[in-house]
Amino acid sequence: MQNLILANLLTEPIGVAHYVVVSAFMFTCGVLCMATKRNVLGVLMGVELVLNAASINLIAFGSPFLRNDANSLGLDGQLMTLFVIVLAAAEAAVALAIALNFYNNHDSIDVDRADELLG
Amino acid sequence: MDPASNLPMLLMGAWLVPLVSFVLILFFGKHMGSHGKYAGHLATLAIVTSAVLSFTAMFGVWLPSHPLPGAAHHGEEHDGEHAEEGGNLHVSLGTSTAGLETQFTVHPVAFLADDSHAQDDSHEAPNDHAAGEAHGHDAHANNGAPISHSGEWYTICKFGSLKLTIGYYIDSLTVTMFCMVSLIASCVHFYAIGYMHDELHDFTDPEVTMRDGKKLKRPGRFYRFFQYLSLFCFSMFGIVIAGNLAMVFIFWELVGICSYFLIGFYIERKSASTAANKAFIVNRVGDFGMLIGMMALWSSLGTFNFGDTTDAEGKIVERGMFSQLHTEENGYRLQPTESMIAEEKRMCPAHSDSIIESSAESASSDVHAPPKNTAGQWLLFIGGVGVFCGCVGKSAQFPLHVWLPDAMEGPTPVSALVHSATMVAAGVYLVGRFFPVFTPEALLVIAYIGCITLLIAATIAITATDIKRVLAYSTVSQLGYMMLSLGLGGWVAGMFHLITHAFFKGLLFMCSGSVIHGVHTNDMTEMGGLRKKMPITAYTMLAGCLAIIGAGIPLSTIGFSGYYSKDAIIEQAFSFGSQNPGHVILQWAPVVGAFITAFYMFRLWYMTFAGEPRNQHRYDHAHESPKVMTVPLVVLAVFAIGIGWTLPGTNLKVTNLLEQSRPIGTLATSQGTLLPDLVIPDEHLSHEWEIKKPAGIAAFSTAAMGLLLATIIYLWKKLNPDELKQSFKPVHGFLWNKWWFDEIYGALIIAPTMLLARLVSRFDLGIIDAILHGSAAVCKGLSKVVYAVFDRTVVDGMVDGIAGVTWDLGLGLRKIQTGSLRQYIMFIVIGTVVLFIAISVVQNTGLVGSLGTDLTN
Amino acid sequence: MSSCPVGAGSRDKRDDDIGSVGLKEEPQVAQFLLDFTIFGFDVCPWPWLAYTIAGFVHVVLILNLVAVSALVFIWLERKISGRIQDRLGPTRVGGKFGWLQTLADGLKLLTKEDLRPEGSDGMLFRVAPYVSFCASIAAFIAIPFAGGEYPWIAQHLNTGVFFVLAVMGLEVFGVILAGYASASKWSLFGAMREAAQVVTYEVPLGMCVVVPVLLSGSLDMVVIGDRQAGLFTNWLVFHDPFTFITFWVYFTCAMASVNRAPFDLAEAESELVAGFHTEYSGLRWSFFFMAEYGSMFAVSILASILFLGGWHGPFPITEWLGLTAENGAVLGYLGQLLGLGNVLLKGTIGVCVMIWVRWTLPRLRIDQVMAVCLKYCTPIAAAMFLGATFWHYSLPGKNFFGLLNKPAATYEVSEGWQNQASQPETEEHLAISTPLTKLGGQ
Amino acid sequence: MQEIYWPSVFFLLFSGISCAFAVGVLLSQNIVRMAFYLVLSLAATSGLFFLAGADFVGAMQLMIYVGGTLVLLIFGVMLTSQERFIEMHTWAGDWVKAFLAGGALLFILVSAAFSVPAWQSMDRAEAEAVVASKTVTPLGMGLLGVRVDKPEEPDAARRDGMAGYLFQFEIVSVHLLVVLIGAAYLARAKRKRDLPAVQSDGSQ
């Protein structure tokens, strides 16, 4: 296990694990954002964060600077990230449309009011 | 020009241009000018393009790269003049294509037979016949494979080693057919532009009366006619260029459907639609046989391809039908393959015994030994006869000839096309193309069918008064000639007659159309003396009549085109008859046929054009057809006269061309296996003087007699035809009613079928329905009991129980579903965490050992 | 914009590399600082210091360029509009040629009170102008001002065009924040319009930009510029009819995406008071102003590099005079200076055209703006893209005038990956590079 | 003391910014500010991409994610804003629950990140030896279906097209189009049914 002191971080190269930690942090933030925001658009932003975390992971796994071995994803990581970004854009468009529709129907964007599916 | 790549390209162009025209007219035809006026021009342009491409292929590629054989026929060396010409031509062509000479080296047959064949598949040069002559006609002096170019364009489907492809097989026959079909079709197209002009406006059909007593009035269908014509030409080209039997079958059916459309062009007329149905259904009967034949061949040979499939270097990857059946080891003689013998043995063990016996006995060189190799021969016989069945249907041979005379219900250009170049030619062409596969026994069948057809149709033609009907029966009869010739081994004669006949029969039909167009009736009894009103039609038709009866100076080489081909057929018949005394009828039938042909053809001409007008009103209104119709007539007349001639200064003539594609292994005299007495003579034997002389004299004298008889009766009026009719009343009635064929079919096939259907229907209503009703009642009673006892208690109880449990469960679980998005996300997070914990617990307690090692990678 | 060739030693090393690695490591200002000694004493002993100073040099140059050009353009706009619309003021007052007027305006803005509406979102209100300004400035990072072997560029990015477009797209973000944070409905309307307009116009803009990228086979602006060396016939705008049209579509869309009249709906004073910057005053307002002029200049320079030959004049004077790096550092420097002049001149002409258009055409309605983009610009751009592709494939190397495009770049241009030293030169390797040469079209 | 390794410093900088603003997104109650923080977080992430050698993807992130997606988002904010500032209070209990679960998740993820040996840092010398390679063309070729970045791939078919992303690329393009049309359809203005029919001017 890598030593996590700051001096070490400043003088030694960082590895995939560091990126993964950042990604994990961002992922957690996104998930919490989804879990706590009552605003539909807040939830949407949480989703964006989560997707972004995924992108970071993919880039990190494919980066030659972090992991120069045969198991590296290589360019596939970047290609995957491209797809993630594009799909995130598509997702944002649809989610926004849903939000607008939601707003049209409920006159509000509070997700807590969308409980018609209550069992 | 490299023929291997250019020929397929040019011919594919010629093949596909009509398709393009068809598609264009199909989609835009209605909008091409008023009533699709320009559709006709488009279709004509397309077929003329095809013709140009075909002739380019012929004169630009084929002839320069494949010099015609030095002397076409052994027999003609007696004349002395042709041998010289041939030599000259060979030199002149050779110098122009000096580079190619090395590629197409001429192998003397002697080497072919002995050494192990330096033969590069399809590029085999025609064998030097002089060398062949030197060796005589012994079994080994057989010619090699004809020059052909085969290949595949597209693979439709594949089943293991079997595959269906769109391919081509091009030899001189293909190229010749292309030229012939495209030329005649072009003439017909031009002609049709004039003939069909009625369709350019609203058309009142005089033969269709509506319920309110008025005549049917409908919009013109000019463009549709040309649309069908284009498709027709495309299909015919498809058959000719086809590289395998499956492709032939596809276009075969396309030709069938086109003829259906065209014969039924005046669909509102009952007679037309019936005739179209008849043509189609009768053809289907033949096609059924063809399918059986194809199955027999495919299952045993494993390929439909005619030619060999080669790879880029020219090595043979897969051998086609012809080279499988005519193997090099066997001296190119027809022999069933190993697989066929095995197949036959598996199916009919009885035959396999005969092999074992025969193999022992065949060692002894007894000619009259019991049949050898019966196994496989039967399969080959079935395959050949099966495929011939298809040709019987398409080429209107006995007993399926009944559709062709009815097919004249279509517009006359269609009749001209159907009767000359396309539909009926397809059958004969296929027999010619498929010739290497026919065993001597199958050929005998073909010969007899042809013989019967020839006689029956000719006799019927004597009494017919409808001008087109006479020509229709004449066509059937001439097709019989071709089949007879092919069946007797006269391959070149048959195919030659196919081509000459196409020209003069196309001409005759178009002339008759011109007459009909001028006098507005089909009935010859209302015509007469028309040569003054329509001279071009009259004299072109006279040329056609002279061509069809084979007019020429006997025992010379001067005559109309029919003279060459018909004499060749009769010579072959004499040659056959001299070796097979048992089948003497086959020898004399064509001679008799020549007599009848001459009679009825000139009966037609005299009744139409000579003498005094029988119907003054019609005569007064008769007029010569417009230029667009007469010019094709003249063109065709020129061809009808001269297609059999040698091009001056060269040895370019149709027979020489056809000789180039003579099927492998047919030149030798062959003997039947199942019928050991049967001998199919070498065609070149027919040119021997001792056969040529009596045959030529017989042909000329009979034709002259027929002509004379017709002249006596109809021109000089020495004999009154009505009196003749009275005195031969039963015979006339018999012939007038077409040998009662339609009635016989009605009684023998249709009536029993109807009876059977009625019986079956009665059985269905009376017995099966009763059983059904009874069982239904029983079931009904039983179910009532079951319902009361079992269903109400057991089944319902179970269902209700499950429903109740589900309901209770749902009531409990619904509390989890809060509808709150955020809560769901929390569930997911908690679930993930729990999953991780579970995995790590499992891993650490060693429940699943390999999980950890995976993660570390 | 840095880097003249420094020292003969480094040049020799580079010459060895030609063919193995295409795109040369250009000598940075930092390298110059590290190599610089006085009496054998290192002026700059630490690399990080050198890098920091080099960065500052770039930043200061760019900042000054944008700020000074904004001054010049405001002056130009006054003069041009005065001439066009017969306004007397700009032609009469403010020192010689009126140059003092702009300075006076600047001083006035500096001294104005910085107001913030009550109820506005303070943080966003303050940060918005800087977002816009930063985005506008940041675009200049990747813009080369002179090309050749040692391009004058702050950061030579492999993805230059793409980066510039991406960064300029961020400018709208500041506008939206400003409009929203001002707590004024005029501002919000303006911001909404701006957002809609800019997001829409990025589509045809991107399509137009792709055309030169396609023709030169690189996203690198230095490569694109150097591809157009030689006579003006080599300029991509004259490459074929399609690029000619593409250029005008690009210019239209660029005008729309930087909010210039007749597309200036975000600040339509006749409808929205002043649009998104209604509530701004003083220095903050001037930041928006500078951002606007900065991005105008940026898109004009982009147009000049992508279509108008960039630092190459209509005639290859630098070549004729021998002002190239091969003939020594000083001459090369002079050549680059000429190139810089070319770029700035073309950019200024572009801005002048924008000013001319602004004072000539009336403002469009919002639906007309959208229609221009979606119904005309986008389809035309798409068609032009296809057309240019077609031309490129069917007539490779031919341009509008039917002349042969001479291979423009004076040095070999390649991405480097195909010449990696570790790879053996095998048949498969050649097979791989074939599609690239097709795509690259060199 | 060892010399400072600058890429690590920049990594710390960018990751710090992106994580900090991610937290900002999480904690802020104002939806517009959230969006602003998200922009900064994502932009800093693109910095991380540049640092990892993915320059094209970084620019892409800037252009599409930051430029496109967020403008869209803010659009949504503005279209749906009723009050001046859109704030919705989250119950305290929700916060606590969320943080407990999130903390557990974060702990697990971080410990997982450091438990894989292959993910650890390289030596400094090794890292400095890595040569930066340009990625634009290989990416473009990869999207076209030709993997120029894998010249050692033995299978020619996989190298020259089958292993690329052409098909996926096409699917994503079509998907994007469908999504945009669908979104436009979903978000279209609703016609109120209860409005009385308005006589148009032209008809009278």
Side-chain angles (χ1 to χ4, degrees), chain B residues 100-167:
Chain B
L100 288 162
E101 274 301 288
T102 51
Q103 195 181 346
F104 302 106
T105 322
V106 174
H107 297 284
V109 180
F111 294 126
L112 267 182
D114 296 341
D115 67 32
S116 60
H117 272 278
Q119 168 184 357
D120 49 353
D121 73 307
S122 61
H123 292 286
E124 181 54 39
N127 293 300
D128 194 356
H129 286 282
E133 186 75 10
H135 259 257
H137 296 294
D138 62 346
H140 287 287
N142 206 335
N143 56 349
I147 314 167
S148 66
H149 304 281
S150 55
E152 283 163 9
W153 279 310
Y154 178 70
T155 302
I156 300 171
C157 54
K158 240 180 164 172
F159 318 94
S161 62
L162 306 178
K163 60 178 180 177
L164 294 181
T165 56
I166 296 292

Side-chain angles (χ1 to χ4, degrees), chain B residues 129-281:
Chain B
H129 286 282
E133 186 75 10
H135 259 257
H137 296 294
D138 62 346
H140 287 287
N142 206 335
N143 56 349
I147 314 167
S148 66
H149 304 281
S150 55
E152 283 163 9
W153 279 310
Y154 178 70
T155 302
I156 300 171
C157 54
K158 240 180 164 172
F159 318 94
S161 62
L162 306 178
K163 60 178 180 177
L164 294 181
T165 56
I166 296 292
Y168 56 89
Y169 180 88
I170 296 172
D171 56 5
S172 65
L173 177 62
T174 310
V175 184
T176 315
M177 285 294 285
F178 254 88
C179 292
M180 184 272 277
V181 172
S182 57
L183 183 64
I184 292 181
S186 303
C187 291
V188 169
H189 273 73
F190 276 115
Y191 179 84
I193 290 180
Y195 191 86
M196 299 303 285
H197 73 89
D198 279 350
E199 295 282 344
L200 278 175
H201 40 79
D202 281 353
F203 180 72
T204 310
D205 197 329
E207 299 184 27
V208 182
T209 312
M210 307 288 285
R211 227 173 261 156
D212 53 6
K214 284 181 190 151
K215 297 295 181 192
L216 171 80
K217 196 165 184 225
R218 59 171 171 80
R221 291 191 289 234
F222 190 72
Y223 66 94
R224 200 179 290 173
F225 182 75
F226 282 95
Q227 171 188 335
Y228 294 150
L229 274 191
S230 282
L231 185 62
F232 206 174
C233 295
F234 161 71
S235 320
M236 184 62 199
F237 285 143
I239 292 181
V240 176
I241 203 173
N244 58 61
L245 202 50
M247 188 177 161
V248 167
F249 190 72
I250 293 169
F251 287 97
W252 194 258
E253 295 303 327
L254 261 178
V255 167
I257 196 74
C258 289
S259 70
Y260 173 80
F261 287 143
L262 282 169
I263 293 169
F265 185 72
Y266 299 114
I267 192 72
E268 294 88 357
R269 300 182 189 166
K270 181 102 172 70
S271 57
S273 73
T274 320
N277 281 335
K278 191 171 175 184
F280 196 67
I281 292 167

Side-chain angles (χ1 to χ4, degrees), chain A residues 31 35 37 112 114 117-119, chain B residues 814 817-819 822 825-826 829:
Chain A
V31 166
K37 299 291 178 204
D112 284 358
L117 290 180
L118 175 66
Chain B
R814 64 177 281 201
Q817 194 191 353
T818 56
R822 301 190 287 120
I825 293 168
M826 284 305 292
V829 172

Side-chain angles (χ1 to χ4, degrees), chain B residues 446-531:
Chain B
I446 295 174
Y448 269 105
I449 293 285
C451 170
I452 296 169
T453 313
L454 139 69
L455 288 176
I456 289 180
T459 50
I460 297 175
I462 296 173
T463 56
T465 54
D466 184 325
I467 183 167
K468 279 173 78 178
R469 196 170 279 271
V470 175
L471 291 176
Y473 279 107
S474 155
T475 304
V476 177
S477 161
Q478 297 299 316
L479 291 169
Y481 264 109
M482 298 170 206
M483 288 296 185
L484 173 70
S485 167
L486 288 166
L488 298 179
W491 188 84
V492 168
M495 299 319 287
F496 185 33
H497 195 57
L498 172 66
I499 286 161
T500 55
H501 170 259
F503 283 104
F504 55 66
K505 189 48 63 68
L507 169 66
L508 288 171
F509 257 103
M510 281 155 72
C511 287
S512 76
S514 177
V515 171
I516 294 167
H517 190 256
V519 298
H520 297 289
T521 178
N522 285 6
D523 198 350
M524 288 194 293
T525 55
E526 297 190 24
M527 300 174 188
L530 285 173
R531 71 176 185 282

